[in-house]
Amino acid sequence: MTVELICVGTELLLGNIVNTNAAFISEKCAMLGLSMYYQSVVGDNPGRLEHLLRMAKERSDVIILSGGLGPTQDDLTKETAAEVMGKTLVEDARAKNEIQEFLSKRGHDITENNWKQALVPEGCKVLYNANGTAPGIIMEDGDSRMILLPGPPNELIPMFEEQVYPYLHSLQPEIICSKMVKLCGIGESAAETKILDLINEQKNPTVAPYAKTGEVHLRITAKAENEKKAFAMIEPVEEILKQRFGDCVFTDDPQVTLEMAVAELLKKHRLTVTTAESCTGGLLAGRLINVSGISKQLQEGYITYSNEAKEKLLGVSHATLETYGAVSPQTAAEMAEGGAKAAGADVCIAVTGIAGPEGGTKEKPVGLVYMGCCLRGKVYTEKNFYSGSRSKIREYSVASALTLLRKVILKELEE
Amino acid sequence: MTVELICVGTELLLGNIVNTNAAFISEKCAMLGLSMYYQSVVGDNPGRLEHLLRMAKERSDVIILSGGLGPTQDDLTKETAAEVMGKTLVEDARAKNEIQEFLSKRGHDITENNWKQALVPEGCKVLYNANGTAPGIIMEDGDSRMILLPGPPNELIPMFEEQVYPYLHSLQPEIICSKMVKLCGIGESAAETKILDLINEQKNPTVAPYAKTGEVHLRITAKAENEKKAFAMIEPVEEILKQRFGDCVFTDDPQVTLEMAVAELLKKHRLTVTTAESCTGGLLAGRLINVSGISKQLQEGYITYSNEAKEKLLGVSHATLETYGAVSPQTAAEMAEGGAKAAGADVCIAVTGIAGPEGGTKEKPVGLVYMGCCLRGKVYTEKNFYSGSRSKIREYSVASALTLLRKVILKELEE
């Protein structure tokens, strides 16, 4: 069964707002196993909308529209859609009552144009709206279906979840479920190469990689008649992925971020951690402190942007800085060692690099970043190279530092 | 002149990503005075894309496409668009070189399919890509124009700004110019109230406020036959805004961020700065270090998440922490004073608050944040209250801390 999405709104064409409704509706339709081949945005223009609706009705089984259900003269989605479906508009008594209640409860005057919102196509299913005055609508004409939803996400989302999703589910015997396995410490192409056989053979379930900054997410998706069966199909594939990627897998929970996985590991081993940052300048500690309740693990951190600060706060030797420079494995190592000592922490993770756009040389170009990690006296270093803007290089550096920290803990304490 | 946007990508139809490119491109086109009536999303399907392109070519003067320029077999935007425009693909030597350099610099192997990205329609303008391997393309066929852009925003945005925007600008007889006046230290509704008379009277130029985290941006937009005339119309309005908002205006340059304005001020007065952060945990220093070349001003910073760290690194007195708690104006003040002393810096900006979701009490709820700023021994504190998620509260705190730092410098050194 095919579904097509049409979002109505001049503010989308002007770029005043980002179309988050489209991502929300598309994701839900994909979960239901509905195939979406087209999404469109048009303004509040009945001629263009009518043309698009007639074309969509020819090529798609279900058309979902959002926006243009307001009380003003501009809002013509309902009128246009009803005409294309050959329906007359009639007043809906319950919708009228609810509009009256909604407005008077908020102390708003009711104006004549509000009653326009109580008109619905004859014989349609009305989707009453607890969060606004525009009711949604489901219309059927033979095998054609149109679903009209209000534009504001705080009205559209609950209406979709509570009323539209069950309706679409009833049309669709099979549903789609998915699970995410998140990896760090491996690039997208290397990850893809490791599962090319799965990707090439795949029918149901399928596996697809998605690259995030410093992470790769693998989504496993299965189609089945119910959730239980879908997850039973997903499980063996998940096991294969976990075997192949081993320690690179940091979670299979969509809610868990890399910093949360690292915080969990620190907690498990009762480790205190500190940070020693040069080019990331606080962003690494800032990201660890995203995790609420990390205070037992992380008590303090050092931002040592200058060489003097590296000497003073972390005890990096003047000779090391002179001989090898601030961006070197030697300095990264001393930063990590010195940070752990200064903070009295079990482990310290250090970053020093050239984020650019200035400061690069031929030997040490912009994007060169060294990490150091010292766990109870044992020091690891890592060399990395990133491309992109200053902020992108810093963002990648933070992800790699978290990845190194995790790797060292796993190696030292779990192998 | 009309422009139409077609985004190609199955991940958009599946709702895996939000279409931020569409909002970005639409906003730029609106600024250029181009009329956009249609936006569409299609998957990597040459048949559907070709059909849509032929329709778009009939109804719009310029078609902008994003996505589908990758090296794999699926990526068919360029091949399909060239066919619709009646162009043959030929190899571009410079594109080939740049792809080779881009990949080898990163130590990636070059595979046969990479060369597909060096093919371009004959006679087109090639938009070279400093941030990826897919060049963009501008093709003309009589009055029809197609512009092909890579999908990743970090490639699309700079390519659009540097190469596509000037091209579109050259096509347009009446242009729209705008200028942005950026404010800090004032809320959106307070800002709007101060200029309601201007908003109500406006025709050309217009003024519109946009709220950003901790900032309000006022955009002045004028339509005229050339830039000079447009900016001559903007200037008097800009003057009025600067008079009305005084010190709240931190820049009128769209490229200048709040941290850049603060860094500029520090530089002007030859001040060294340090940071003392509790709940923001490094994000404040991290944001200042966004500014390339801030190393003369900022040499070090302190992340003092625990009370012990506040005592040890900043010299906050145990009695203050016991009596008033970590989240108090007294602690914020001592953090700022102690931080300046520890770093030997002219000024220290300190933040301590409850970012939640845990840790709130009736007296000190989640969202309560104190700032302290010490400039050459003189200490200011400020109480703030934010609502929202942990990350939102931390983000607002960083913006407010920068705003306080700026305010203190202006008050002490420029009044």
Side-chain angles (χ1 to χ4, degrees):
Chain A
M1 187 166 271
T2 57
V3 62
E4 173 158 356
L5 176 64
I6 300 175
C7 300
V8 183
T10 305
E11 68 281 16
L12 289 166
L13 294 178
L14 291 174
N16 295 332
I17 54 172
V18 175
N19 196 352
T20 53
N21 284 342
F24 169 78
I25 293 172
S26 305
E27 193 177 16
K28 295 288 173 183
C29 288
M31 280 175 65
L32 284 164
L34 295 162
S35 302
M36 189 182 285
Y37 297 129
Y38 299 96
Q39 289 174 2
S40 313
V41 176
V42 285
D44 299 293
N45 176 292
R48 282 190 283 268
L49 177 59
E50 187 184 333
H51 179 249
L52 186 58
L53 278 173
R54 292 201 190 276
M55 195 162 57
K57 196 166 174 258
E58 286 297 311
R59 67 189 179 191
S60 303
D61 302 315
V62 181
I63 305 167
I64 301 178
L65 288 121
S66 73
L69 299 183
T72 71
Q73 295 298 324
D74 292 352
D75 295 301
L76 287 163
T77 301
K78 187 168 60 188
E79 290 72 6
T80 311
E83 198 183 313
V84 171
M85 293 292 268
K87 311 272 180 190
T88 315
L89 294 177
V90 295
E91 193 172 86
D92 184 82
R94 179 170 160 198
K96 193 172 177 177
N97 266 340
E98 290 194 356
I99 292 167
Q100 188 146 30
E101 258 180 48
F102 187 93
L103 292 172
S104 61
K105 222 164 105 182
R106 283 159 184 76
H108 294 308
D109 290 334
I110 298 170
T111 53
E112 204 42 53
N113 57 9
N114 284 125
W115 302 132
K116 179 171 166 315
Q117 296 190 297
L119 296 175
V120 303
E122 47 172 352
C124 77
K125 179 172 161 52
V126 182
L127 309 172
Y128 296 100
N129 184 350
N131 305 298
T133 54
I137 282 153
I138 297 178
M139 279 189 269
E140 298 184 349
D141 174 24
D143 284 339
S144 277
R145 295 174 166 89
M146 275 191 204
I147 303 173
L148 277 57
L149 300 170
N154 70 318
E155 300 177 34
L156 179 141
I157 291 172
M159 189 180 284
F160 193 97
E161 283 184 335
E162 290 156 25
Q163 302 183 73
V164 179
Y165 191 92
Y167 171 77
L168 291 173
H169 201 342
S170 73
L171 302 177
Q172 193 62 358
E174 284 202 317
I175 62 157
I176 288 189
C177 291
S178 70
K179 218 170 160 183
M180 194 82 95
V181 174
K182 297 186 186 178
L183 313 176
C184 64
I186 187 166
E188 192 193 12
S189 43
E192 197 174 27
T193 307
K194 276 200 172 198
I195 52 167
L196 261 189
D197 56 325
L198 298 178
I199 292 176
N200 288 335
E201 281 165 18
Q202 67 188 5
K203 285 213 179 75
N204 186 20
T206 59
V207 184
Y210 299 90
K212 308 272 162 188
T213 303
E215 301 174 23
V216 177
H217 297 180
L218 302 174
R219 180 181 279 163
I220 316 164
T221 308
K223 204 167 193 167
E225 65 193 78
N226 60 42
E227 280 196 23
K228 206 180 148 190
K229 288 196 180 165
F231 282 113
M233 290 162 74
I234 286 173
E235 215 189 277
V237 180
E238 195 185 340
E239 277 316 303
I240 295 175
L241 295 181
K242 287 185 176 171
Q243 272 169 28
R244 292 204 190 169
F245 291 102
D247 279 351
C248 289
V249 177
F250 68 86
T251 188
D252 60 4
D253 181 339
Q255 305 300 324
V256 170
T257 59
L258 181 55
E259 60 267 30
M260 282 161 82
V262 170
E264 205 42 60
L265 204 56
L266 291 165
K267 213 166 153 184
K268 178 180 165 192
H269 294 289
R270 297 168 186 262
L271 295 171
T272 54
V273 67
T274 190
T275 52
E277 302 181 62
S278 188
C279 65
T280 52
L283 297 181
L284 170 58
R287 193 159 157 199
L288 278 166
I289 295 175
N290 279 347
V291 183
S292 171
I294 201 170
S295 54
K296 276 199 189 118
Q297 270 61 55
L298 195 159
Q299 274 131 38
E300 61 191 73
Y302 304 91
I303 296 155
T304 55
Y305 201 48
S306 68
N307 283 358
E308 293 71 32
K310 289 179 186 75
E311 291 184 37
K312 176 181 133 190
L313 295 174
L314 306 171
V316 174
S317 86
H318 193 72
T320 301
L321 289 164
E322 285 283 302
T323 315
Y324 305 105
V327 179
S328 64
Q330 291 83 358
T331 298
E334 289 190 27
M335 284 173 74
E337 267 190 286
K341 212 165 150 187
D346 299 311
V347 52
C348 175
I349 176 84
V351 189
T352 180
I354 302 158
E358 289 92 36
T361 62
K362 210 177 163 191
E363 293 76 40
K364 296 188 178 178
V366 168
L368 177 69
V369 182
Y370 287 95
M371 318 279 162
C373 184
C374 174
L375 173 59
R376 291 184 182 140
K378 190 149 180 192
V379 183
Y380 291 79
T381 61
E382 201 176 270
K383 178 183 178 175
N384 281 288
F385 187 77
Y386 311 108
S387 57
S389 63
R390 179 175 177 87
S391 66
K392 209 74 202 160
I393 290 170
R394 296 171 78 217
E395 216 183 297
Y396 271 108
S397 300
V398 169
S400 295
L402 291 173
T403 301
L404 176 63
L405 172 56
R406 182 173 170 275
K407 201 164 85 179
V408 169
I409 298 172
L410 289 179
K411 191 175 162 61
E412 289 293 315
L413 304 175
E414 302 204 352
E415 258 179 21
Chain B
M1 187 165 272
T2 58
V3 61
E4 170 157 358
L5 176 64
I6 300 176
C7 301
V8 182
T10 305
E11 66 281 17
L12 289 165
L13 294 177
L14 292 173
N16 294 330
I17 53 172
V18 175
N19 196 351
T20 52
N21 284 342
F24 169 79
I25 293 172
S26 306
E27 192 179 15
K28 295 288 172 182
C29 288
M31 281 174 65
L32 284 164
L34 295 162
S35 302
M36 188 182 284
Y37 297 131
Y38 299 96
Q39 289 173 3
S40 313
V41 177
V42 285
D44 299 293
N45 177 293
R48 283 189 283 271
L49 177 58
E50 185 184 333
H51 179 250
L52 185 59
L53 279 174
R54 293 202 188 275
M55 195 161 60
K57 196 166 172 255
E58 285 298 309
R59 67 190 178 191
S60 302
D61 302 314
V62 181
I63 305 168
I64 301 178
L65 288 120
S66 73
L69 299 184
T72 70
Q73 295 297 326
D74 292 355
D75 296 301
L76 287 162
T77 301
K78 186 169 59 187
E79 290 73 5
T80 311
E83 198 183 315
V84 172
M85 294 291 268
K87 310 271 181 193
T88 314
L89 295 178
V90 293
E91 192 171 86
D92 184 81
R94 177 168 161 197
K96 194 172 176 178
N97 266 341
E98 291 194 355
I99 292 167
Q100 188 147 28
E101 258 181 45
F102 188 94
L103 292 172
S104 61
K105 214 166 115 186
R106 282 157 188 80
H108 294 307
D109 289 334
I110 298 170
T111 53
E112 203 41 52
N113 55 10
N114 284 124
W115 302 131
K116 181 170 165 315
Q117 295 188 298
L119 295 175
V120 304
E122 47 174 351
C124 76
K125 181 174 159 52
V126 182
L127 310 172
Y128 296 99
N129 184 350
N131 305 296
T133 53
I137 281 153
I138 298 178
M139 277 188 271
E140 299 185 349
D141 174 26
D143 285 339
S144 276
R145 292 172 169 90
M146 275 191 205
I147 303 173
L148 278 58
L149 300 170
N154 70 316
E155 300 177 33
L156 179 140
I157 291 172
M159 190 180 284
F160 193 96
E161 284 183 336
E162 290 156 24
Q163 303 184 71
V164 179
Y165 191 92
Y167 171 78
L168 291 172
H169 201 169
S170 71
L171 302 177
Q172 202 47 7
E174 245 207 346
I175 59 157
I176 291 186
C177 290
S178 68
K179 220 172 158 183
M180 192 83 95
V181 173
K182 298 186 184 178
L183 313 176
C184 63
I186 186 167
E188 192 191 12
S189 41
E192 197 173 27
T193 307
K194 278 200 172 199
I195 52 167
L196 260 189
D197 56 327
L198 299 179
I199 292 175
N200 288 336
E201 282 165 18
Q202 66 189 7
K203 283 213 183 73
N204 185 19
T206 58
V207 184
Y210 298 87
K212 308 273 163 185
T213 304
E215 301 174 23
V216 177
H217 297 181
L218 302 173
R219 179 183 280 162
I220 318 165
T221 307
K223 203 170 194 164
E225 63 193 82
N226 60 43
E227 278 197 24
K228 206 179 149 191
K229 288 196 180 163
F231 283 113
M233 291 162 75
I234 287 173
E235 213 189 278
V237 181
E238 194 186 341
E239 277 315 303
I240 295 175
L241 295 181
K242 286 184 175 172
Q243 272 169 27
R244 291 202 190 169
F245 291 102
D247 278 351
C248 288
V249 178
F250 68 86
T251 188
D252 59 6
D253 182 339
Q255 306 299 326
V256 170
T257 60
L258 181 53
E259 59 268 29
M260 282 161 80
V262 170
E264 205 42 58
L265 205 56
L266 290 165
K267 213 165 153 185
K268 177 179 166 192
H269 295 287
R270 295 166 188 262
L271 295 171
T272 55
V273 66
T274 189
T275 52
E277 303 181 62
S278 189
C279 65
T280 51
L283 298 182
L284 170 58
R287 197 162 153 195
L288 278 167
I289 296 176
N290 279 346
V291 183
S292 171
I294 201 171
S295 54
K296 276 198 189 121
Q297 271 60 55
L298 195 158
Q299 275 130 37
E300 60 190 73
Y302 304 91
I303 296 157
T304 55
Y305 201 48
S306 69
N307 283 359
E308 292 70 30
K310 290 180 185 75
E311 293 183 36
K312 176 181 132 191
L313 296 174
L314 306 172
V316 174
S317 86
H318 193 72
T320 301
L321 289 164
E322 284 283 301
T323 315
Y324 304 106
V327 180
S328 64
Q330 292 83 359
T331 297
E334 290 190 25
M335 284 171 74
E337 266 190 287
K341 215 166 149 188
D346 298 312
V347 51
C348 175
I349 177 84
V351 188
T352 179
I354 301 157
E358 289 91 36
T361 62
K362 211 176 162 187
E363 293 76 37
K364 295 188 178 177
V366 169
L368 178 69
V369 182
Y370 287 96
M371 318 280 163
C373 184
C374 174
L375 174 60
R376 292 182 181 142
K378 190 149 179 191
V379 183
Y380 291 79
T381 62
E382 201 177 270
K383 180 182 177 174
N384 281 287
F385 187 77
Y386 310 106
S387 56
S389 64
R390 179 174 178 86
S391 65
K392 210 74 203 156
I393 290 169
R394 296 172 78 215
E395 218 183 297
Y396 271 109
S397 301
V398 169
S400 295
L402 291 174
T403 301
L404 176 63
L405 173 55
R406 183 174 170 275
K407 202 165 85 181
V408 169
I409 299 171
L410 290 178
K411 193 177 161 62
E412 289 294 314
L413 303 176
E414 302 204 354
E415 259 180 19

